[in-house]
Amino acid sequence: MKKTMKFSKACMFDALLHLAGKEDIRKITISALCATAGVSRTTFYRHYGTILDLAEDYLNVYPFGSNTPEIYEKKPDTDMQTWLNDRLRESLTFLKENRSFIMNLFRAGLQVKVLENFSSLIKGLCRERVGELGFEDEYELSA
């Protein structure tokens, strides 16, 4: 992905979080989002058709957690338990700090996507600890 495209999307994600924290996501206009993000409407439409498309992409890119991807990369000097605890804490902190955004997603009919992302997070955390949890492999864990 080009740096400018990545930057534009990051700006739109930040604007979405900011605006959806204050008003109903279904009432946010593309013009208002673009003005807040500092991008043109053309840039928005190059990537998305609607504000809800942007919200879905946000959940795909940052499934409940920091919009700083480094948090998900395990540092070589960090033990697995500490890394998992930090990852879960970061995700739960995001949920708490962005409660109005999450509730907005529910009101907009994206509750299944929200719950799928949270489920994916929990499965991911469990997958990292398959052996410690007493399972042979990921298949047994999912069964």
Side-chain angles (χ1 to χ4, degrees), residues 16-85:
L16 177 67
L17 281 174
H18 174 74
L19 294 172
K22 295 194 287 188
E23 64 182 289
D24 188 325
I25 198 169
R26 295 168 295 183
K27 294 182 180 177
I28 297 171
T29 65
I30 291 168
S31 295
L33 183 117
C34 290
T36 303
V39 300
S40 69
R41 289 172 51 89
T42 303
T43 299
F44 178 88
Y45 283 115
R46 185 175 297 131
H47 302 289
Y48 308 106
T50 68
I51 297 288
L52 294 181
D53 293 339
L54 171 65
E56 274 198 65
D57 191 34
Y58 179 87
L59 293 173
N60 288 330
V61 174
Y62 306 118
F64 295 121
S66 174
N67 56 4
T68 311
E70 300 84 53
I71 188 71
Y72 297 111
E73 297 171 10
K74 184 180 175 299
K75 310 250 183 312
D77 59 338
T78 305
D79 67 279
M80 183 60 76
Q81 186 64 46
T82 301
W83 178 76
L84 290 169
N85 288 344

